[in-house]
Amino acid sequence: MNESLSIPHLIMNASLVVQLVMLLLIAASIASWVVIFQRSFVLRRAHKAHRTFEDRFWSGVDLNELYRETPAEQDVLGAEHIFRSGFREFNRLLPKTRSNQAILDGVQRAMRVAWSREEERLNQHLIFLATVASSSPYIGLFGTVWGIMGSFMSLSMAQQATLSTVAPWIAEALIATAMGLFAAIPAVIFYNRLSAQSNRLLGQYEDFAEEFHSILHRNLQGRGDREAA
């Protein structure tokens, strides 16, 4: 009886529905760990790139020189992407209009678009973790209910109710519950952690955009004062 109640034996001899539930939960768990490692790497790289660019930006380098040093649009990330988008729009509008407010509004719109793209990039696939975290316990519960239904059906067909009659059904039902929790718990923990890291980075990007906007505003004011003189 001990061998018949071992976990591998129960999984191999479970009903088809419970086996499908277990297979789905295993696949969801593996996929969520892939997302966890991939998103952790992306966020760690984004945080490092942000610190490197901010150190360069606040070192006193000329903005035109910094713009020329940044890679092409498809290769920049984070604050560097926001800077490049905003400064490109600034250089495009500067010779076309004498309205400082129109220039600043265009720069702000360009940086907002770049920020939205960074938000999409940082939060990519996190919705999958949220889905696994919320749905896995219910999928496991479905396998549990199915296993308990099987135990009741085996009891109804048995002439004498014994533990050996219902134990395999109840055991496979509980395994389905455990697999649902095994998939859900890491997903919900890392979803919260990765979301917090992403929001922290996005807040830093937003702060940088505001500071950069203020720098451009002062530059435009200085240009207006020189022209007036």
Side-chain angles (χ1 to χ4, degrees):
M1 181 168 176
N2 290 335
E3 182 182 352
S4 64
L5 291 179
S6 65
I7 292 179
H9 184 272
L10 288 170
I11 293 175
M12 294 301 298
N13 291 277
S15 61
L16 179 61
V17 172
V18 176
Q19 283 184 336
L20 291 175
V21 167
M22 292 178 181
L23 183 63
L24 180 60
L25 291 172
I26 290 173
S29 179
I30 293 173
S32 65
W33 278 107
V34 171
V35 171
I36 287 168
F37 283 115
Q38 191 264 345
R39 289 288 94 195
S40 298
F41 172 76
V42 167
L43 288 169
R44 188 162 52 246
R45 187 181 65 171
H47 183 67
K48 182 179 179 181
H50 178 69
R51 286 186 309 190
T52 301
F53 176 74
E54 277 219 319
D55 290 342
R56 177 65 173 153
F57 182 83
W58 295 113
S59 66
V61 65
D62 181 73
L63 294 182
N64 288 292
E65 180 184 348
L66 182 60
Y67 179 76
R68 287 192 296 268
E69 289 177 356
T70 56
E73 187 73 24
Q74 62 269 20
D75 297 327
V76 292
L77 303 171
E80 195 171 14
H81 181 202
I82 294 171
F83 163 77
R84 184 175 178 84
S85 298
F87 199 64
R88 184 183 62 240
E89 188 69 8
F90 178 80
N91 288 332
R92 188 182 71 84
L93 293 175
L94 189 61
K96 294 183 178 181
T97 177
R98 300 186 63 83
S99 171
N100 291 348
Q101 190 58 46
I103 295 173
L104 291 173
D105 287 345
V107 169
Q108 196 168 41
R109 284 193 298 270
M111 291 194 296
R112 191 180 301 120
V113 170
W115 186 90
S116 297
R117 289 175 179 170
E118 290 303 309
E119 181 184 27
E120 182 180 356
R121 184 181 66 84
L122 291 179
N123 291 331
Q124 190 178 18
H125 303 314
L126 289 185
I127 190 65
F128 175 78
L129 288 182
T131 302
V132 172
S134 60
S135 63
S136 292
Y138 295 104
I139 296 173
L141 182 61
F142 174 76
T144 302
V145 171
W146 192 271
I148 292 175
M149 286 173 54
S151 68
F152 281 120
M153 286 189 292
S154 64
L155 279 175
S156 66
M157 292 184 294
Q159 295 181 353
Q160 184 178 1
T162 61
L163 182 62
S164 60
T165 305
V166 297
W169 287 95
I170 294 177
E172 72 179 47
L174 294 178
I175 291 174
T177 301
M179 284 188 172
L181 296 176
F182 179 78
I185 291 173
V188 71
I189 290 174
F190 280 97
Y191 172 77
N192 292 330
R193 179 179 177 181
L194 295 173
S195 294
Q197 292 177 356
S198 174
N199 291 334
R200 194 179 307 118
L201 263 175
L202 290 170
Q204 292 173 355
Y205 295 164
E206 191 169 5
D207 291 341
F208 170 80
E210 290 294 329
E211 292 167 342
F212 182 49
H213 185 270
S214 298
I215 291 173
L216 295 180
H217 182 262
R218 289 195 296 269
N219 288 344
L220 288 174
Q221 280 186 328
R223 184 190 70 162
D225 295 339
R226 288 192 300 271
E227 289 178 351

